[in-house]
Amino acid sequence: MLYRENGQFKKTYRADLQIFPVLQDRLAIYLLLALAFVAVPLLASDYFFRAILIPFLILSLAALGLNILVGYCGQISLGTGAFMAIGAYAAYNLQVRIEGIPLLLALIGGGLAATVFGVLFGIPSLRIRGLYLAVATLAAQFFTDWFTNRVKWVTNDSPSGSVSVGALSFFGLPVDTPVQKYLMCLGLVCVTALLAKNLVRGAIGRQWMAIRDMDVAAAVIGIRPVYAKLSAFAVSSFIVGVAGALWAFVHLGSWEPAAFNIDRSFQLLFMVIIGGLGSISGAFFGAAFMVLLPLLLNYVPHWLGLPLSTATASHLEHMIFGALIVFFLIVEPHGLARLWLTAREKLRLWPFPH
């Protein structure tokens, strides 16, 4: 009975078009943000930040970028790991070759480099679609793997191929401890999610969804497929490139090209499928699932006293991922986000059966 809209009247168009029109949703978001920015830094341990929260935030950002391309525009991509690698190495080279460059500018530079790379490999989407487009984006992954392994300039002539970053600072403030890294990632993720939500609610987001549903009909009503598809590739690649730079700078600290291999691309695609295609919240649901499931498979058997080796847990993790992907594709193609939306709608109508 608490989740009702009785007495909540919309007197202006602005009030009717707000992101969270229900008062309870706005209060829940404010409470969630207060917990994330205030309570979690005070209560969580360093291990919790390093192993769960920071990877969750960065992977959520990457899944958000991929969801714009796959979920909203319907362009299948298997090269997300390549765009993350471009963002990471571009930001690294900016920091190495431009002395004193702020971290935020390096992250934005990595995102812009990934944007150019994504648009170049998005050009084939103007003529091909479906499986053929997926293969074209897969070529971006193979090209990036070769480029980062063979071109020494990318790794600043590192003999081992691995690179590392020094001390980080954000707007003059040091970013050394796990709490500081968490707060920086959380702020960037919140700003990006808000911008992405407003973007998909606007005219360009409607163009993306029209191209996704039926590109021929979209072209008939005046939508330019060239602009819509390449803009989706550009926005998606920028967000994924920033996420790749954060993954390298904040989470890893030092990395090699294998950190952004094809496994990373498939992992992000699984996040989008399980979390929910065409949903901003689906990126967060999918990232939470991918981060928490391996930890649960490692800890729950020990809590229950079941002898489960690390190898068995790893195999079980892959089996569960595969089974859940098939389940969501058949039963609920819109993933966990759709289940959450259905639960909210039932709460709004409860206890009435209709």
Coordinates of all heavy atoms in Angstrom, one line a residue, residues 115-150:
T115 N 36.1 6.7 -29.4 CA 35.0 7.2 -30.3 C 35.4 7.1 -31.7 O 34.7 6.6 -32.6 CB 34.6 8.6 -29.9 OG1 34.2 8.6 -28.5 CG2 33.5 9.1 -30.8
V116 N 36.6 7.6 -32.0 CA 37.1 7.6 -33.4 C 37.3 6.2 -33.9 O 36.8 5.8 -35.0 CB 38.5 8.4 -33.5 CG1 39.0 8.2 -34.9 CG2 38.3 9.8 -33.2
F117 N 37.8 5.3 -33.1 CA 38.0 3.9 -33.4 C 36.6 3.2 -33.6 O 36.5 2.5 -34.5 CB 38.8 3.2 -32.3 CG 39.2 1.8 -32.6 CD1 40.2 1.5 -33.4 CD2 38.5 0.8 -32.0 CE1 40.6 0.2 -33.7 CE2 38.9 -0.6 -32.2 CZ 39.9 -0.8 -33.1
G118 N 35.7 3.5 -32.7 CA 34.4 2.9 -32.9 C 33.6 3.4 -34.1 O 33.0 2.6 -34.8
V119 N 33.7 4.6 -34.5 CA 33.1 5.1 -35.7 C 33.7 4.5 -36.9 O 33.0 4.1 -37.8 CB 33.2 6.7 -35.7 CG1 32.7 7.2 -37.1 CG2 32.3 7.3 -34.6
L120 N 35.0 4.3 -36.9 CA 35.6 3.7 -38.1 C 35.1 2.2 -38.3 O 34.8 1.8 -39.4 CB 37.2 3.7 -37.9 CG 37.8 5.0 -38.1 CD1 39.3 4.9 -37.8 CD2 37.6 5.6 -39.5
F121 N 35.1 1.5 -37.2 CA 34.6 0.1 -37.3 C 33.0 0.1 -37.3 O 32.5 -1.0 -37.5 CB 35.1 -0.7 -36.1 CG 36.5 -1.2 -36.4 CD1 37.6 -0.5 -36.0 CD2 36.7 -2.4 -37.1 CE1 38.9 -0.9 -36.3 CE2 38.0 -2.9 -37.3 CZ 39.1 -2.1 -36.9
G122 N 32.4 1.2 -37.1 CA 30.9 1.2 -37.2 C 30.4 1.5 -38.6 O 29.3 1.4 -38.9
I123 N 31.3 2.0 -39.5 CA 31.0 2.3 -40.8 C 30.4 1.1 -41.6 O 29.4 1.2 -42.3 CB 32.2 2.9 -41.6 CG1 32.5 4.3 -41.1 CG2 31.9 2.9 -43.1 CD1 33.7 4.9 -41.7
P124 N 30.9 -0.2 -41.3 CA 30.3 -1.3 -42.0 C 28.8 -1.5 -41.6 O 28.0 -2.2 -42.3 CB 31.1 -2.5 -41.5 CG 32.4 -1.9 -41.2 CD 32.2 -0.6 -40.7
S125 N 28.4 -1.0 -40.4 CA 27.0 -1.1 -40.0 C 26.0 -0.4 -41.0 O 24.8 -0.7 -41.0 CB 26.8 -0.6 -38.6 OG 26.9 0.8 -38.6
L126 N 26.5 0.5 -41.9 CA 25.7 1.2 -42.8 C 25.2 0.2 -43.9 O 24.2 0.5 -44.6 CB 26.4 2.4 -43.4 CG 27.0 3.4 -42.4 CD1 27.7 4.5 -43.1 CD2 25.9 3.9 -41.5
R127 N 26.0 -0.9 -44.1 CA 25.7 -1.8 -45.2 C 25.3 -3.2 -44.8 O 24.7 -3.9 -45.5 CB 26.8 -1.8 -46.2 CG 27.2 -0.5 -46.8 CD 26.1 0.1 -47.7 NE 25.8 -0.8 -48.8 CZ 26.3 -0.7 -50.0 NH1 27.3 0.2 -50.2 NH2 26.0 -1.5 -50.9
I128 N 25.8 -3.6 -43.6 CA 25.5 -4.9 -43.1 C 24.9 -4.9 -41.7 O 24.9 -3.9 -41.1 CB 26.8 -5.8 -43.0 CG1 27.8 -5.1 -42.1 CG2 27.4 -5.9 -44.4 CD1 29.1 -5.8 -41.9
R129 N 24.3 -6.0 -41.3 CA 23.6 -6.1 -40.0 C 23.7 -7.5 -39.5 O 24.1 -8.4 -40.2 CB 22.2 -5.6 -40.2 CG 21.3 -6.6 -41.0 CD 20.0 -6.0 -41.3 NE 20.0 -5.0 -42.3 CZ 18.9 -4.4 -42.8 NH1 17.7 -4.7 -42.3 NH2 19.1 -3.4 -43.7
G130 N 23.2 -7.7 -38.3 CA 23.1 -9.0 -37.7 C 24.5 -9.7 -37.5 O 25.4 -9.1 -37.0
L131 N 24.6 -10.9 -37.9 CA 25.8 -11.7 -37.7 C 27.0 -11.1 -38.4 O 28.1 -11.2 -37.9 CB 25.5 -13.2 -38.2 CG 26.7 -14.1 -38.1 CD1 27.1 -14.3 -36.6 CD2 26.4 -15.5 -38.7
Y132 N 26.7 -10.6 -39.6 CA 27.8 -10.0 -40.4 C 28.4 -8.8 -39.6 O 29.7 -8.6 -39.7 CB 27.4 -9.6 -41.8 CG 26.9 -10.8 -42.6 CD1 25.5 -11.1 -42.7 CD2 27.8 -11.6 -43.2 CE1 25.1 -12.1 -43.4 CE2 27.3 -12.7 -44.0 CZ 26.0 -13.0 -44.1 OH 25.6 -14.0 -44.8
L133 N 27.6 -8.0 -39.0 CA 28.1 -6.8 -38.3 C 28.8 -7.3 -37.0 O 29.8 -6.7 -36.7 CB 26.9 -5.9 -37.8 CG 27.2 -4.7 -37.0 CD1 28.2 -3.8 -37.7 CD2 26.0 -4.0 -36.6
A134 N 28.3 -8.4 -36.4 CA 29.1 -8.9 -35.2 C 30.5 -9.4 -35.6 O 31.4 -9.2 -34.9 CB 28.3 -10.1 -34.6
V135 N 30.6 -10.0 -36.8 CA 31.9 -10.4 -37.3 C 32.8 -9.2 -37.6 O 34.0 -9.2 -37.3 CB 31.8 -11.3 -38.5 CG1 33.1 -11.6 -39.1 CG2 31.0 -12.6 -38.1
A136 N 32.2 -8.1 -38.1 CA 33.0 -6.9 -38.4 C 33.5 -6.3 -37.1 O 34.7 -5.8 -37.0 CB 32.1 -5.9 -39.2
T137 N 32.7 -6.3 -36.1 CA 33.2 -5.7 -34.8 C 34.2 -6.7 -34.1 O 35.1 -6.2 -33.4 CB 32.0 -5.5 -33.8 OG1 31.3 -6.7 -33.6 CG2 31.1 -4.4 -34.4
L138 N 34.0 -8.0 -34.4 CA 35.0 -8.9 -33.9 C 36.4 -8.7 -34.5 O 37.4 -8.9 -33.8 CB 34.5 -10.4 -34.1 CG 35.3 -11.5 -33.5 CD1 35.3 -11.4 -32.0 CD2 34.8 -12.8 -34.0
A139 N 36.4 -8.2 -35.7 CA 37.6 -7.9 -36.4 C 38.3 -6.7 -35.6 O 39.6 -6.7 -35.6 CB 37.4 -7.5 -37.8
A140 N 37.6 -5.8 -35.1 CA 38.2 -4.7 -34.3 C 38.9 -5.3 -33.1 O 40.0 -4.8 -32.7 CB 37.1 -3.8 -33.8
Q141 N 38.3 -6.4 -32.5 CA 39.0 -7.0 -31.3 C 40.3 -7.6 -31.7 O 41.4 -7.4 -31.1 CB 38.1 -8.1 -30.7 CG 38.6 -8.8 -29.5 CD 38.7 -7.9 -28.3 OE1 37.7 -7.3 -27.9 NE2 39.9 -7.8 -27.7
F142 N 40.3 -8.3 -32.8 CA 41.6 -9.0 -33.3 C 42.6 -8.0 -33.7 O 43.8 -8.1 -33.4 CB 41.3 -9.9 -34.5 CG 40.4 -11.1 -34.1 CD1 39.5 -11.6 -34.9 CD2 40.6 -11.7 -32.8 CE1 38.7 -12.7 -34.6 CE2 39.8 -12.8 -32.5 CZ 38.9 -13.3 -33.3
F143 N 42.2 -6.9 -34.4 CA 43.1 -5.8 -34.8 C 43.7 -5.2 -33.6 O 44.9 -4.9 -33.5 CB 42.4 -4.8 -35.6 CG 43.2 -3.6 -35.9 CD1 44.2 -3.6 -36.9 CD2 43.0 -2.4 -35.2 CE1 45.0 -2.5 -37.2 CE2 43.8 -1.3 -35.5 CZ 44.8 -1.4 -36.5
T144 N 42.9 -4.9 -32.5 CA 43.4 -4.2 -31.3 C 44.4 -5.1 -30.6 O 45.4 -4.7 -30.1 CB 42.3 -3.8 -30.4 OG1 41.4 -3.0 -31.1 CG2 42.8 -3.0 -29.2
D145 N 44.1 -6.4 -30.5 CA 45.0 -7.3 -29.9 C 46.4 -7.4 -30.6 O 47.4 -7.3 -29.9 CB 44.4 -8.8 -29.9 CG 43.2 -8.9 -28.9 OD1 43.1 -8.0 -28.1 OD2 42.5 -9.9 -29.0
W146 N 46.3 -7.4 -31.9 CA 47.6 -7.3 -32.6 C 48.3 -6.0 -32.5 O 49.5 -6.0 -32.3 CB 47.3 -7.6 -34.1 CG 48.5 -7.3 -35.0 CD1 49.5 -8.2 -35.3 CD2 48.9 -6.1 -35.7 NE1 50.5 -7.6 -36.1 CE2 50.1 -6.3 -36.3 CE3 48.3 -4.9 -35.7 CZ2 50.7 -5.3 -37.1 CZ3 48.9 -3.9 -36.5 CH2 50.1 -4.1 -37.2
F147 N 47.6 -4.9 -32.5 CA 48.2 -3.6 -32.5 C 48.8 -3.3 -31.1 O 50.0 -2.8 -31.1 CB 47.1 -2.5 -32.7 CG 47.6 -1.1 -32.9 CD1 48.2 -0.7 -34.1 CD2 47.4 -0.2 -31.9 CE1 48.6 0.6 -34.2 CE2 47.9 1.1 -32.0 CZ 48.5 1.5 -33.2
T148 N 48.2 -3.7 -30.0 CA 48.7 -3.4 -28.7 C 49.9 -4.4 -28.4 O 50.7 -4.0 -27.5 CB 47.7 -3.5 -27.6 OG1 47.0 -4.8 -27.8 CG2 46.6 -2.4 -27.8
N149 N 49.9 -5.5 -29.0 CA 51.0 -6.4 -28.8 C 52.3 -6.2 -29.7 O 53.4 -6.4 -29.2 CB 50.6 -7.9 -29.1 CG 49.9 -8.5 -27.9 OD1 50.5 -8.7 -26.8 ND2 48.6 -8.7 -28.0
R150 N 52.1 -5.6 -30.9 CA 53.2 -5.5 -31.8 C 53.7 -4.1 -31.9 O 54.9 -3.9 -32.2 CB 52.7 -6.0 -33.2 CG 52.2 -7.4 -33.3 CD 53.4 -8.3 -32.9 NE 53.0 -9.7 -32.9 CZ 53.7 -10.8 -32.6 NH1 55.0 -10.5 -32.2 NH2 53.3 -12.0 -32.7

